[in-house]
Amino acid sequence: KAGVTQTPRYLIKTRGQQVTLSCSPISGHRSVSWYQQTPGQGLQFLFEYFSETQRNKGNFPGRFSGRQFSNSRSEMNVSTLELGDSALYLCASSLGASDDEQFFGPGTRLTVL
Amino acid sequence: GEDVEQSLFLSVREGDSSVINCTYTDSSSTYLYWYKQEPGAGLQLLTYIFSNMDMKQDQRLTVLLNKKDKHLSLRIADTQTGDSAIYFCAESPLNYGGSQGNLIFGKGTKLSVKP
């Protein structure tokens, strides 16, 4: 079956703009989590959605938001982009129970100029 | 607070064993994970261990857990050049709903395998 897909794979934006990233989970998966990966901070959890509801949230400013649709596809939005938002954004999906494996997508590489 | 630490680099010769170490802080974590990331790719789950286990073996991979010291290690036997990648240790602290959507990752250990 198809894995987790993320679009777009690469994105270049300028400071002050906003951006929307998309994640399509594996069919049947109801949980989608988002992570930010940077060389300095490593992998940091942004938020998790389960059945269209935000179930967990990391320590990121309100400029970072997300949502999940009824088909479990998820989007994350970053408003008023800053240079420090340049990162690889990874999405992971799982069935949603406590011992379910998370499957990661290839990520979206965002560059903010 | 929650923090996962691991050494940044490890270099071994092909055929040797590699041991990647990790320390974590949250004793509530029920699962501990090892992920592999190759250049330009996402994360691939290698193996995981439940917190009430001491050891888990999966083909060339052996995970050891010392819960008292909050120390986790990943041993790769007969390391091959294809094992060159970044290896991440991660813990899953208990969250609302018991979800594991929130993983706390280490900074990653870059494994270089020399022929």
Side-chain angles (χ1 to χ4, degrees), chain B residues 1 5 12 17-18 31 42-43 46 65 79 82 86 93 102 114:
Chain B
E5 294 191 357
V12 300
S17 291
S18 307
Y31 291 92
L43 296 171
L46 285 177
L65 174 61
T79 313
I86 300 176
N102 174 4
K114 298 177 182 176

Side-chain angles (χ1 to χ4, degrees), chain B:
Chain B
E2 301 157 345
D3 200 12
V4 176
E5 294 191 357
Q6 46 184 133
S7 52
L8 295 181
F9 302 99
L10 177 65
S11 180
V12 300
R13 293 216 171 269
E14 194 172 21
D16 288 350
S17 291
S18 307
V19 179
I20 303 172
N21 295 300
C22 166
T23 57
Y24 63 98
T25 55
D26 195 322
S27 58
S28 75
S29 291
T30 52
Y31 291 92
L32 296 142
Y33 301 84
W34 285 104
Y35 283 87
K36 176 183 180 182
Q37 187 177 37
E38 295 180 272
L43 296 171
Q44 174 196 355
L45 177 65
L46 285 177
T47 186
Y48 65 91
I49 189 166
F50 190 55
S51 59
N52 69 354
M53 297 169 65
D54 298 324
M55 185 184 88
K56 180 178 179 182
Q57 187 153 2
D58 185 0
Q59 299 182 338
R60 291 191 299 123
L61 305 178
T62 303
V63 178
L64 294 178
L65 174 61
N66 181 328
K67 198 172 180 182
K68 174 177 168 289
D69 295 336
K70 298 190 182 73
H71 182 267
L72 183 73
S73 68
L74 173 70
R75 179 177 179 269
I76 306 173
D78 188 24
T79 313
Q80 302 298 305
T81 54
D83 294 324
S84 294
I86 300 176
Y87 291 80
F88 292 91
C89 167
E91 63 173 338
S92 61
L94 284 177
N95 288 306
Y96 171 73
S99 81
Q100 295 198 345
N102 174 4
L103 293 175
I104 310 297
F105 286 89
K107 293 283 177 71
T109 298
K110 185 173 182 179
L111 175 64
S112 298
V113 183
K114 298 177 182 176

Side-chain angles (χ1 to χ4, degrees), chain A residues 35 37 45 48 56 98-99 102, chain B residues 31 37 98-101 103:
Chain A
Y35 295 84
Q37 185 177 24
F45 170 73
E48 180 207 5
N56 281 298
S98 61
D99 57 351
Q102 285 193 62
Chain B
Y31 291 92
Q37 187 177 37
S99 81
Q100 295 198 345
L103 293 175

